[in-house]
Amino acid sequence: MPVRSDNRKKRVLSGMRSTGKLHLGNFVGALDNWVRMQDKYDCFFFVADWHALTTDYADTSAIKENSLQVVMDWLAAGLEPERCTMFIQSHVPQHAELHLLFSMITPLGWLERVPTYKEQRENIQDKDLGTYGFLGYPVLQAADILIYKGDYVPVGEDQVPHVELTREIARRFNMFYQGERSYVFPEPQPLLTPAAKLPGTDGRKMSKSYGNTILLTDPDPVVRQKLKTMVTDPARVRRTDPGNPDICPVGDLHKIFSDQPTIAKVWEGCKTAGIGCIECKSWVADALVSVLTPMQQRRKKYEDNPRLAWDILETGSSKARKIASSTMDEVREAMHMSVDRPGVRSRESGVS
Ligand code: TRP
Ligand code: SF4
C-alpha cells in the first residue's frame, strides 16, 4: 500500500463536473477506477459544481439536482462513505480563496497554452467562453488539488496538462512564499486512468454533448433499444457479409464488458458471417445489463431518500473543510497574511 513518509496512506484527489446522470463512458473512464482505489489510498472525490459554471453559467437552475445525480451514481457504482470522502466543491469555500491567491501568481501565457482551453474555445460555439472564469479554470483545479496536498490525481489523458500546470503553480508558490518549516505544497502526480475509449451508439466517443450515451440508470429495455440503433462495421450490409469486430463499435463494447467465451464467439462468428449483428448486440446488452443492474439496485435507496446522499456529502464536505482550512492557515502564514486573533493559535507569533 503506497504510504507517505509519515506512514499515512497516500492521498488521492479527483473531481467530476456536475453534469447530471453519468453514462458508461464516465464509468469506464473514471468512476470504476475510483471505486477500486478506495482502500489503497486516502481518497477524496468531489463534485466540481464551480467547474460546471465555467461553461454553463447562464442557466444554473439544474445545478444542485445535477450534483445529486452525480453522487447517486457514485454511490451506485460502489463508492462508500466509510471508505472515501465525497463532497461538493462549492461547500468548501476555501477552494475559492486559494484560487484567488493562485490567480495572482499564474502567468496568462500558462493558461492560454492549455490544450483543452484552445480546443473548447474553437469547438464550443453555442456559448460565449470568452470569460475570465473559463480561462482561469485550470487555476481553480490547481487549488482543488493542492488544498488537500494530494499525492495522486487520477485523470484521463485530456486532463494531464492540468495536473502539470498544478505542479508549476505549486512550484511557483513555494518559490515565492516559504512556509514555516518548509515549502507549503507538495507536487502531485497524475495517475493516468487506463481507459479504452468507449464508443457511443453513433460510434463516436461516448459523450453527453453528442447525445450517444448509455446511462448508468438506463433500465434493461432502454439499454437494448439503444444497442439496436448502434452503428456496426459498415462492411456488414447483409447478414451474409463477413465483418470485423476490431473496427466495429459493438466489438469495442464486447472487449470491455464481455467474458472470454463470448468474445471468442463474436470474433469467430462475425468474421465468418456465422452470427448476425442483432444476436451479437443482444449478447453485449446482456453483459451491460449485468453490470448496471446491481448499480441500479444500490441506487434505489438514495433515489427513495435523497436526504441520505446529501448527508453523505455534508459529512464529507465538513471533513474536507477542516483540511482545507488548515492548509489555508499555512498559506496565509507563508504569505505573511495570517490572521492574529486572540485565542486563535498563530504559529508565527507563538501565541496560543
Ligand atoms: N476539470 C476536470 C474535468 O473537467 C474536473 C476537475 C475539477 C478535477 N477539479 C479537479 C479533476 C481536480 C481532478 C482534480 O473533468
Ligand atoms: Fe459488429 Fe457484432 Fe455485427 Fe460483427 S456481428 S459487425 S461485431 S455488431
Side-chain angles (χ1 to χ4, degrees), residues 227 230-236 241-252 254 266-267 269-271 273 275-281 283:
L227 272 163
M230 187 148 183
V231 298
T232 57
D233 176 359
R236 280 206 87 177
D241 297 330
N244 180 1
D246 282 309
I247 58 164
C248 173
V250 179
D252 289 334
H254 274 297
V266 167
W267 259 248
C270 177
K271 288 179 168 175
I275 59 169
C277 291
I278 294 174
E279 203 177 359
C280 175
K281 286 173 164 185
W283 296 335

Side-chain angles (χ1 to χ4, degrees), residues 127-151:
K127 299 169 201 162
D128 179 6
L129 296 184
T131 59
Y132 182 47
F134 184 70
L135 176 66
Y137 112 76
V139 183
L140 179 57
Q141 184 160 351
D144 297 337
I145 298 167
L146 293 174
I147 207 161
Y148 302 101
K149 303 189 179 183
D151 296 293

Side-chain angles (χ1 to χ4, degrees), residues 36-52:
R36 283 184 275 107
M37 287 193 290
Q38 286 183 96
D39 301 315
K40 193 167 164 200
Y41 300 103
D42 179 23
C43 291
F44 285 74
F45 300 122
F46 69 96
V47 186
D49 54 349
W50 279 338
H51 281 264

